[in-house]
Amino acid sequence: MLKSYIKIAWRNLWRNKAFSIINIFGLSIGIAFSLLIGAYVWGELQVNRQLKDADDQYIIQSKWKDPNMGFEIGSSAELPKALKENYPGLVTNYYRFDGITTNVSKGDKHFRETVQVGDSTLLNMYGFKLLRGDANTALNDPFSVVITSQMAMKYFGRTDIVGQLLNFESFSGDKHDFTVSGVLGDISQNSVTAVSARNVSDFFVNADAAKYFKRNLSGWDNTYIVDYIELKKGIDPKTVEKAMIALLHKNTSEQVSKNLTPYLVALKDYNMITEGGVVKKMTCTLSCIALFILLMAIINFVNICIGRASGRMREMGIRKVMGSLRKQLIWQFLAESTLIAMIATLVALGIYLLARPFFSNVLGKEITGLFSFPLYFIPLPFMVALLVGLLAGIYPALVLSALKAVDSLKGKLSSVKESVLFRKTLVAFQFTIAAIVFIGAIVISQQISLFFNNNLGYNKDNVIYSQVPRDWSPKGVQKMEAIRYQLSQMPQVSGITLSYVIPDGANGGNYQVYRQGANPSQTIVAQGLTVDNQYASTYNIPIKAGQFFKPVFNLADSSDVVINETEAKALGFKNDDDAIGQKIMSPGYPVASIIRGVTADFHFGSMQDKILPITFNNVNYSTYYRYFSIKLKPGDIQQNLSALQKRWAELMPGAPFEYKFMDDALKQLYATELQLKKAAYIATFLAIIIVLLGVLGLISLSIQKRTKEIGIRKVLGSSVAGITSLFLKDFLGVVLIAGLIACPLAYFMMQKWLDDYAYKINISLSPFVFSIALLTVITALLIMLQTIKAAFANPVKSLRSE
């Protein structure tokens, strides 16, 4: 019997190819998009879950009374070790690291790489497997290094390289060979080797190597170290948090102990909540979009199934006269709708395979392959297809199978009205979702445009940046300043500056300041930016008062600082000029700093945050630097870069010229927003396609049912425009009603999204008007193309249609 149902269902599909293709294609798009987004979300949820003893692994986070006093990700360097030694019943292991970047060389290969200087517990604590080397001893020697297989291929072209040498540069300019003691196999995404998207490590060295690199992994007041601990089975994290607070109060300075509260975050949850929960927000937003797209596709499917079924009343009547039972008719409808859903699912799986690389690129994350999911995932798409098929077939099956045979043969719905209102409601719901997604995509695009326009407070155009070799000493700074001067003389360069920071939000640390003579308790927290005297001119940051340091640095100028407008106001100066020559202090530092200049405010970090107080320190005094920022003159950019690269190699042999444009730094700063923008555009495109497929299917059904009516109207003198207007009225009213519902909903949702940003656009009428107008025009064109074709048909054929 089931074979018979399927055979008849297949014949019906084949007989009505156009409607079958519309139904299958629309549903498959919705299913494929939902599967791709579902795979992305599943991948994000799997981060850190592959680690050894993942249920017991935690990262120590810091909560400061004033968030600007320290970094959330950093904690006291001594805390994990002290927990293991003082509370062995609670903590079974720990790992700490300091992330640095340095020049790594092998022969004539020179690259700037990210290195983790950390404890030797790394490999065994998290179960990282080595392709080559012994995990028990690989990180025991201060001058040994474990590298990833990708880096092994990059430097050596093979992975069997244990015992080979790589040269690492220290922050004092020294160079030393490190022996490769291990090669890591492929590592799934985790928050240990890649604690953030901007801190992905490929080289791992012993904590004892910190001395060589001029770094420090010790000290209770050193709160810039990333700390991890592994708890014993069954231990409550709250108990460990109390122990951490007790240790901090006992061992740290008063400033740290009073302001810092450490807490534990399970590594299984960390990926979703880090950096303000950006991944969680992204996954939730995309999940909602995918759900809406799938719902739209299902509504299309249900709508067309209902419309097609109501045209088969005579078939039902004949079947009843021939002796078919009601349950057989019900099974027939369900078999047809389920067969379509299953075919659509198979097509969706094919679309998944083809679209996966594209979506991986859009979302900036490798989406899991179709055959990489656990076995229990295999039946899920088909279970969904079965549910959708039953949902689409149950209404026509129950309604039409309940009709009397006589009514069915006459084509009348005397006992049950054809649910036109219900179908129009479903169409209105589709248009509402499409309009909301469309409006949202436009608002997101406008907000992101704000991030990249010229309202940043500085000029990023034609500015590139590249990391330089480090020698954090007065001599090292003098050498780099001399090189800076020589590069500035090039005809391709209009400005160049040496600094520790670029405007990407990663400052050199925060510290407290107050006006000399004021109460030390009345401090403000300022971001510290270490730069030279060319920083403001290179980035075109306006000077509101004074000057941006003196043209030539003297030791007598060591106490000079420059602040921004926000800091001048926070310190209580009525205007910028009043701040010039005034002194500011920092708790614990006896020497006062003299304000020599005030800059205009500019967006150093993300627009999610308000502009904070900024204190510029002279790199000749605070001898810490990382970047050359170079402003190129307009013209042939590639030719300018080639000349600069050649001169760079002459002045700094062995130092890689790995440059990026400031636009790239901003793209990384707003990576999540840019991914959301791309996803929103894709969702908008799919939503419109699904809506139009639904309209195409329904208008085709409507024309098919009213073929004789069209013929009679033509015989009686109706024009093509008049006939077309009949069908336009049916649908355009639905579109306008959907628009009226969508606009306030979209406004509320996008206003909620914009609330996360301290600086945001004002939502205007244009996204709403443009979205509704475009949807209306496209829908009208589609309806007109269908109806004009029917209206031009020979009325004699129309009258013979039944």
Side-chain angles (χ1 to χ4, degrees):
M1 186 64 72
L2 180 61
K3 182 179 179 181
S4 175
Y5 291 147
I6 295 174
K7 186 180 292 185
I8 295 171
W10 178 256
R11 287 173 180 171
N12 279 323
L13 291 181
W14 194 251
R15 188 184 309 120
N16 301 283
K17 297 183 185 68
F19 293 110
S20 299
I21 291 172
I22 290 172
N23 236 357
I24 291 170
F25 185 61
L27 185 58
S28 63
I29 287 175
I31 293 175
F33 183 75
S34 300
L35 286 174
L36 286 162
I37 297 302
Y40 165 78
V41 173
W42 183 79
E44 293 291 1
L45 291 172
Q46 295 308 301
V47 174
N48 297 325
R49 293 179 182 269
Q50 308 303 321
L51 297 175
K52 178 183 174 183
D53 298 320
D55 291 338
D56 303 311
Q57 303 290 358
Y58 290 82
I59 183 170
I60 301 177
Q61 299 282 270
S62 296
K63 182 177 181 180
W64 297 85
K65 285 186 178 180
D66 184 334
N68 297 313
M69 290 184 64
F71 300 112
E72 185 178 39
I73 198 172
S75 190
S76 172
E78 298 289 345
L79 188 55
K81 183 179 179 181
L83 283 169
K84 172 79 164 51
E85 293 174 349
N86 291 278
Y87 299 93
L90 301 179
V91 176
T92 188
N93 215 340
Y94 67 90
Y95 175 67
R96 306 163 298 172
F97 81 81
D98 180 20
I100 64 171
T101 61
T102 188
N103 288 338
V104 179
S105 303
K106 175 62 179 177
D108 59 350
K109 296 179 180 179
H110 310 281
F111 297 98
R112 193 86 195 169
E113 306 288 7
T114 301
V115 181
Q116 273 194 19
V117 184
D119 293 308
S120 59
T121 54
L122 170 68
L123 301 175
N124 289 325
M125 181 170 166
Y126 297 107
F128 294 137
K129 303 297 183 183
L130 292 181
L131 290 176
R132 310 282 179 175
D134 184 354
N136 295 315
T137 60
L139 287 172
N140 287 351
D141 192 298
F143 290 104
S144 64
V145 60
V146 172
I147 68 176
T148 61
S149 56
Q150 292 91 336
M151 292 300 105
M153 295 301 297
K154 178 179 176 179
Y155 283 90
F156 299 95
R158 64 185 197 278
T159 58
D160 55 334
I161 56 168
V162 172
Q164 296 293 318
L165 301 177
L166 285 171
N167 190 272
F168 288 76
E169 188 176 46
S170 75
F171 287 3
S172 61
D174 297 330
K175 295 185 178 181
H176 197 288
D177 285 336
F178 280 64
T179 304
V180 178
S181 56
V183 178
L184 279 166
D186 291 335
I187 304 174
S188 57
Q189 187 181 349
N190 66 85
S191 300
V192 180
T193 61
V195 70
S196 69
R198 291 196 289 182
N199 194 340
V200 181
S201 303
D202 290 297
F203 297 82
F204 306 88
V205 299
N206 187 285
D208 292 336
K211 295 177 182 178
Y212 167 72
F213 287 108
K214 309 304 179 188
R215 304 295 285 179
N216 185 14
L217 260 71
S218 61
W220 281 97
D221 285 354
N222 179 6
T223 58
Y224 297 99
I225 304 302
V226 185
D227 295 336
Y228 303 84
I229 57 173
E230 180 183 339
L231 304 188
K232 287 190 176 293
K233 300 288 184 184
I235 295 299
D236 185 357
K238 296 295 181 184
T239 305
V240 181
E241 288 176 352
K242 292 178 181 177
M244 290 194 297
I245 293 172
L247 286 171
L248 287 180
H249 280 296
K250 180 180 178 181
N251 297 286
T252 61
S253 65
E254 185 178 354
Q255 183 180 2
V256 172
S257 63
K258 284 188 175 181
N259 291 290
L260 172 61
T261 302
Y263 63 97
L264 295 180
V265 175
L267 271 185
K268 290 197 303 182
D269 304 327
Y270 181 72
N271 180 59
M272 300 299 289
I273 66 172
T274 185
E275 296 181 351
V278 64
V279 173
K280 186 176 182 179
K281 291 175 186 175
M282 182 74 167
T283 54
C284 289
T285 302
L286 289 179
S287 297
C288 290
I289 292 174
L291 181 62
F292 282 140
I293 294 294
L294 180 60
L295 195 56
M296 288 177 67
I298 292 173
I299 288 171
N300 255 7
F301 185 61
V302 172
N303 238 346
I304 294 177
C305 282
I306 291 173
R308 284 292 303 152
S310 61
R312 297 172 62 185
M313 287 183 287
R314 286 188 175 84
E315 178 191 339
M316 296 300 103
I318 292 171
R319 285 177 178 273
K320 283 195 170 186
V321 170
M322 297 297 291
S324 291
L325 301 176
R326 187 186 180 193
K327 67 177 182 179
Q328 292 175 321
L329 298 178
I330 292 173
W331 277 111
Q332 183 61 55
F333 275 109
L334 294 179
E336 289 185 22
S337 59
T338 303
L339 178 61
I340 296 175
M342 289 295 181
I343 294 173
T345 301
L346 291 174
V347 174
L349 294 176
I351 295 174
Y352 182 102
L353 293 173
L354 294 174
R356 186 174 73 89
F358 172 72
F359 271 79
S360 296
N361 181 56
V362 168
L363 297 173
K365 177 183 172 66
E366 185 67 22
I367 292 179
T368 306
L370 200 57
F371 304 105
S372 300
F373 288 100
L375 290 177
Y376 59 80
F377 270 71
I378 295 175
L380 288 181
F382 298 98
M383 291 172 64
V384 172
L386 179 62
L387 181 63
V388 172
L390 294 176
L391 182 66
I394 196 68
Y395 176 82
L398 294 177
V399 172
L400 296 182
S401 65
L403 292 177
K404 295 179 180 178
V406 175
D407 290 335
S408 297
L409 290 170
K410 290 181 179 179
K412 295 181 180 179
L413 285 170
S414 56
S415 60
V416 183
K417 291 184 179 180
E418 186 175 9
S419 191
V420 176
L421 179 62
F422 174 66
R423 286 165 55 199
K424 284 189 174 181
T425 302
L426 292 179
V427 173
F429 181 74
Q430 282 186 310
F431 273 106
T432 301
I433 294 175
I436 289 173
V437 174
F438 200 171
I439 293 166
I442 295 173
V443 173
I444 291 170
S445 181
Q446 290 177 342
Q447 177 66 10
I448 290 173
S449 296
L450 180 68
F451 300 156
F452 291 88
N453 67 13
N454 291 325
N455 295 328
L456 297 169
Y458 65 93
N459 191 338
K460 60 179 175 56
D461 296 339
N462 294 328
V463 175
I464 65 169
Y465 64 94
S466 180
Q467 295 203 35
V468 295
R470 297 171 194 174
D471 178 0
W472 286 354
S473 67
K475 183 180 177 181
V477 173
Q478 290 172 14
K479 179 182 177 181
M480 296 312 298
E481 284 286 89
I483 293 173
R484 182 199 63 76
Y485 176 76
Q486 293 181 69
L487 291 174
S488 71
Q489 301 305 300
M490 294 179 65
Q492 296 84 2
V493 175
S494 65
I496 180 171
T497 180
L498 177 69
S499 65
Y500 186 80
V501 294
I502 57 173
D504 66 346
N507 64 63
N510 302 323
Y511 56 94
Q512 295 175 304
V513 296
Y514 62 94
R515 287 178 65 173
Q516 189 180 49
N519 189 335
S521 63
Q522 298 176 341
T523 60
I524 65 167
V525 177
Q527 295 179 300
L529 308 187
T530 301
V531 301
D532 69 3
N533 58 13
Q534 299 299 309
Y535 194 83
S537 61
T538 301
Y539 282 101
N540 286 347
I541 301 171
I543 305 299
K544 306 296 287 188
Q547 61 181 341
F548 200 85
F549 298 118
K550 294 180 180 179
V552 179
F553 177 81
N554 294 310
L555 286 177
D557 305 324
S558 297
S559 59
D560 289 357
V561 295
V562 177
I563 63 175
N564 66 346
E565 286 181 286
T566 296
E567 182 166 338
K569 292 174 184 176
L571 290 170
F573 298 111
K574 292 182 180 180
N575 57 65
D576 299 327
D577 290 319
D578 291 345
I580 303 304
Q582 299 297 316
K583 295 182 178 181
I584 56 176
M585 304 284 293
S586 294
Y589 294 90
V591 180
S593 298
I594 303 171
I595 300 171
R596 295 299 183 190
V598 178
T599 71
D601 284 336
F602 66 98
H603 290 283
F604 177 74
S606 169
M607 287 190 182
Q608 281 187 316
D609 306 314
K610 291 183 178 180
I611 293 176
L612 300 173
I614 291 176
T615 301
F616 295 92
N617 298 299
N618 198 310
V619 71
N620 289 277
Y621 171 66
S622 296
T623 57
Y624 301 103
Y625 58 87
R626 292 186 294 179
Y627 300 101
F628 269 153
S629 298
I630 306 168
K631 189 171 186 66
L632 300 174
K633 289 182 179 178
D636 189 333
I637 294 295
Q638 288 303 320
Q639 187 175 353
N640 291 346
L641 288 171
S642 296
L644 184 60
Q645 184 172 21
K646 183 179 179 181
R647 185 63 174 145
W648 180 289
E650 292 173 355
L651 296 172
M652 293 179 284
F657 180 56
E658 298 175 347
Y659 67 88
K660 290 183 180 179
F661 283 87
M662 270 309 303
D663 279 330
D664 296 326
L666 288 179
K667 286 176 183 177
Q668 191 170 23
L669 188 62
Y670 297 113
T672 301
E673 287 83 356
L674 288 169
Q675 290 165 7
L676 184 58
K677 175 185 174 180
K678 293 176 183 177
Y681 279 157
I682 294 171
T684 299
F685 175 75
L686 294 179
I688 292 174
I689 291 294
I690 291 172
V691 165
L692 294 181
L693 284 173
V695 171
L696 179 64
L698 291 176
I699 197 68
S700 299
L701 283 170
S702 184
I703 290 171
Q704 189 182 71
K705 290 178 183 179
R706 299 170 69 177
T707 301
K708 183 175 285 188
E709 178 192 340
I710 293 171
I712 293 171
R713 286 181 180 276
K714 285 200 71 177
V715 170
L716 293 175
S718 288
S719 65
V720 172
I723 293 171
T724 303
S725 65
L726 288 173
F727 292 91
L728 284 172
K729 289 176 184 177
D730 280 347
F731 283 92
L732 293 187
V734 174
V735 176
L736 293 176
I737 292 171
L740 292 174
I741 297 170
C743 287
L745 288 175
Y747 179 84
F748 173 78
M749 292 169 67
M750 296 318 299
Q751 195 63 53
K752 191 78 173 173
W753 181 74
L754 288 171
D755 284 344
D756 287 337
Y757 297 93
Y759 303 92
K760 55 193 176 186
I761 62 168
N762 292 317
I763 301 178
S764 63
L765 282 174
S766 57
F768 303 92
V769 173
F770 179 75
S771 300
I772 303 302
L774 187 59
L775 281 172
T776 304
V777 169
I778 294 174
T779 304
L781 286 174
L782 186 63
I783 293 171
M784 289 169 64
L785 289 172
Q786 289 288 305
T787 52
I788 288 172
K789 179 182 176 183
F792 273 115
N794 190 334
V796 174
K797 292 183 178 180
S798 300
L799 292 171
R800 287 177 178 174
S801 64
E802 297 183 18

